[in-house]
Amino acid sequence: MLIGAKDIGEFTPIQKQAYDLIASGPRKDVPYPFLAMLDVPGLANAIQAVGAEIRFAGTLSDQLREVAILATAGAFGSGYEWDYHAAIARRLSMSETLISATRTGDTSHLGADTTSRLIIALCRSAVLERQVPSETLASLVDSLGRTGASEVVAIAGYYPLLALFLSAGELDHRLPE
């Protein structure tokens, strides 16, 4: 592991403090991305606070939030994020058709679920093309409001950051193409 810290017995006091802060929050755990950030504990704390806001305090429904996270992880190819959030999606009783669409981007089988289609399109475009198409965003604003649409944009930017730390910390596995 070139960056980060995995062995709690080897943490510096400030790393242990950051670890404990994350573990005592709404996650009740310290997922791998945050272990990869522990060389800079203040940064780990700030980044995890953004993630806590996205996951636990946002206005998106749990299902729509997971659609955005999975679409972002699928587009990026982050196996860790995909596996972690696919399990959450299944606990939320999301259909396998929807879960598959978030991974591949093929939304043709989603029927009338326009909001999920828009979220998937926006997140995939943000990751793969590094831009948010204004037409997609406008439609998402119509569907979710400005706050919900802004949360989707935040997810599309936040989860690639986590995936980069996972990759750099050698804690990720790539999704098969």
Side-chain angles (χ1 to χ4, degrees):
M1 186 171 199
L2 295 174
I3 67 167
K6 233 176 149 175
D7 185 353
I8 197 164
E10 296 178 9
F11 287 1
T12 67
I14 195 160
Q15 286 175 321
K16 177 74 168 91
Q17 183 180 21
Y19 180 93
D20 290 345
L21 177 70
I22 296 167
S24 67
R27 289 178 185 84
K28 310 281 188 243
D29 190 10
V30 181
Y32 277 1
F34 305 108
L35 293 176
M37 297 174 197
L38 282 179
D39 287 325
V40 187
L43 186 60
N45 287 334
I47 292 171
Q48 75 82 26
V50 171
E53 182 69 21
I54 287 170
R55 284 210 40 224
F56 305 107
T59 63
L60 291 174
S61 70
D62 291 344
Q63 181 168 334
L64 291 179
R65 183 192 62 247
E66 293 305 321
V67 167
I69 294 169
L70 285 170
T72 302
F76 195 92
S78 176
Y80 175 89
E81 289 296 347
W82 172 264
D83 292 343
Y84 191 94
H85 286 278
I88 293 170
R90 289 182 178 101
R91 284 195 300 274
L92 293 170
S93 300
M94 287 173 56
S95 73
E96 290 300 320
T97 300
L98 178 55
I99 292 169
S100 177
T102 63
R103 173 135 182 237
T104 65
D106 178 4
T107 61
S108 63
H109 302 291
L110 294 186
D113 190 352
T114 305
T115 303
S116 290
R117 285 177 193 258
L118 291 168
I119 291 171
I120 292 166
L122 186 143
C123 292
R124 290 185 64 80
S125 180
V127 172
L128 298 173
E129 299 170 29
R130 293 170 304 285
Q131 64 180 348
V132 174
S134 58
E135 313 80 41
T136 305
L137 182 58
S139 296
L140 203 53
V141 168
D142 287 344
S143 179
L144 295 174
R146 291 169 63 106
T147 301
S150 294
E151 289 176 16
V152 173
V153 171
I155 289 167
Y158 177 75
Y159 280 86
L161 172 64
L162 297 185
L164 286 173
F165 269 101
L166 286 163
S167 176
E170 300 173 346
L171 296 168
D172 201 2
H173 60 280
R174 296 291 297 167
L175 288 173
E177 298 287 327

